[in-house]
Amino acid sequence: MRARTFLPAVLAAALLTVTGCGSDGGTDSGGDAQAAPPKASSSAPSGEGEGEGEGDGADKAQVPEALNFTGTTVDGRPFDAKTLAGKPTVLWFWAPWCPKCRAQAAETAKVAADHQGNANVLGVAGLDKNAAMKDFVSQTGTDNFTHLSDESGEVWKRFGVTEQSRYVILDKDGKTVYEGVLPGGEGLAGKVAGLTG
């Protein structure tokens, strides 16, 4: 009986070792990013992303430390940021009651639609309850891309975000290339276009 449990444990340990080695290569790229310490934990188990093709890039690309987090979408689905690996990524930190965030919504949704398949856009909602977050997404027409419900603020802390209406833009290697406010989303399209070629 003991041999039966020992062998699967050894195999699992070997798989974890091989898998861990494969993802360490991306750490150097993300390590220089202007993000909070990468050891921040998430509030939800890992799972699949919402988009159908999102996992394809993660399988081929090494996952940088910046994208080593999980969460839950405003629709209650598990989300694993590893699905964003290999493409430039816009993280849009917003709050449902924020007028500046509401003003950024249309441009952010347009950028997500225009760059679908070439870049990722991920909304990270915080500073309120999930019901308000869902209402914001519905009211602003930003349902064409994924939004995390970060009620606990774990993803905000991970990227050192202390106020709403903020963008963090990562290049395809997970390095932060821009962090700040873009009133009305002005300039977002150009920044993303510069990363997608």
Side-chain angles (χ1 to χ4, degrees):
M1 184 86 159
R2 187 170 211 145
R4 286 184 195 174
T5 58
F6 181 72
L7 184 57
V10 170
L11 289 174
L15 283 173
L16 287 173
T17 302
V18 170
T19 304
C21 293
S23 63
D24 283 344
T27 303
D28 291 340
S29 297
D32 294 334
Q34 298 171 342
K39 297 197 183 231
S41 64
S42 65
S43 59
S46 70
E48 295 178 1
E50 286 186 302
E52 288 182 3
E54 289 177 347
D56 297 341
D59 294 340
K60 296 174 187 168
Q62 292 183 343
V63 179
E65 188 60 34
L67 297 177
N68 191 19
F69 66 91
T70 58
T72 303
T73 69
V74 295
D75 295 325
R77 290 183 281 210
F79 178 83
D80 191 332
K82 292 175 184 170
T83 62
L84 306 173
K87 295 179 185 174
T89 298
V90 174
L91 301 171
W92 177 39
F93 293 87
W94 58 268
W97 44 263
C98 168
K100 291 179 184 177
C101 303
R102 195 166 291 273
Q104 294 169 329
E107 182 62 17
T108 306
K110 183 178 182 327
V111 167
D114 290 350
H115 294 279
Q116 187 175 11
N118 296 317
N120 305 300
V121 176
L122 177 67
V124 186
L127 306 176
D128 210 329
K129 298 295 181 196
N130 191 65
M133 296 171 186
K134 284 179 78 170
D135 288 345
F136 178 93
V137 170
S138 175
Q139 292 165 3
T140 58
T142 55
D143 54 356
N144 64 325
F145 60 95
T146 303
H147 296 269
L148 296 183
S149 175
D150 193 28
E151 289 183 61
S152 65
E154 290 298 318
V155 180
W156 287 51
K157 289 178 209 167
R158 177 179 191 80
F159 287 92
V161 174
T162 58
E163 61 185 352
Q164 76 285 351
S165 182
R166 217 131 177 104
Y167 291 97
V168 174
I169 303 176
L170 309 173
D171 68 10
K172 66 180 180 62
D173 298 318
K175 182 179 178 189
T176 300
V177 294
Y178 177 81
E179 190 273 332
V181 178
L182 296 171
E186 187 176 331
L188 180 61
K191 291 181 183 309
V192 174
L195 294 172
T196 59

